[in-house]
Amino acid sequence: MAGCADDKEAGAQVEQREVDFRTLDDVIFTRFDGDTEDLIMILQAIQKEYNYLPRPGLSYVSTRLGLPLSRIYEIATFYAKFSLEPRGRNLISVCLGTACHVRGGQRVKERLEGHLEIVAGTTTEDMRFTLETVRCVGCCSLGPVVIINEKTFPRMDSYKITKKVDEYH
Ligand code: FES
């Protein structure tokens, strides 16, 4: 979950690339000592590296940690923060929790869907954006809230949000 005052740079990009098993070994063994107790953090680190959880990477983690692949997928599919599908370079999360919804979050979402020509839960063809909806990110008094790449934008409206996303490449 992004903090309300997070200040990550706009336009930060994570490119998709081939799975590099040396990178995975570095995550598993250098950063987490191959400790199966750290499985969730290992998956988080891999997702941060690739912007999603590549399936060959999950098989590799299973082998290297000696855990059943089913256990890895159980974790990877249980937590909404994990994605098994490639995501766009920029992740846009529109809050549709109650407070944001009553303040126009739905209109912001629909405006974004029209602007990006996708529906929530999907990615633009050019892999520039993935649009998703979330439920309450803890900044209710600032709604409607939109998060782009972990940076929180408060009090969005249809006009402001389209100008904002156009800053991301
Ligand atoms: S409902 Fe959107 S931040 Fe709480």
Side-chain angles (χ1 to χ4, degrees), residues 35-53:
D35 190 342
T36 56
E37 296 285 311
D38 290 332
L39 177 58
I40 293 175
M41 286 191 289
I42 289 170
L43 295 182
Q44 280 180 312
I46 293 170
Q47 177 154 295
K48 188 163 187 191
E49 197 69 44
Y50 293 97
N51 211 20
Y52 77 112
L53 293 174

Side-chain angles (χ1 to χ4, degrees), residues 8 11-17 45-52 86-91 126-129 149-150 169:
K8 195 171 176 182
Q13 295 184 11
V14 182
E15 301 292 340
Q16 281 183 60
R17 62 181 197 273
I46 293 170
Q47 177 154 295
K48 188 163 187 191
E49 197 69 44
Y50 293 97
N51 211 20
Y52 77 112
R87 295 193 298 189
R89 295 189 297 278
N90 302 290
L91 176 63
D126 61 4
M127 301 302 290
R128 187 173 162 203
F129 294 106
N149 299 340
E150 299 181 15
H169 300 284

Side-chain angles (χ1 to χ4, degrees), residues 95-101 135-141 143-145:
C95 182
L96 290 183
T98 305
C100 287
H101 191 273
R135 296 279 168 189
C136 193
V137 294
C139 311
C140 303
S141 63
V145 170

Side-chain angles (χ1 to χ4, degrees), residues 4 31 33 42 52 54 60 62 66 86 90 107 110 115 145 169:
C4 296
R31 290 162 66 182
D33 284 333
I42 289 170
Y52 77 112
Y60 191 74
S62 164
N90 302 290
R107 279 194 303 278
E110 288 169 1
H115 188 64
V145 170
H169 300 284

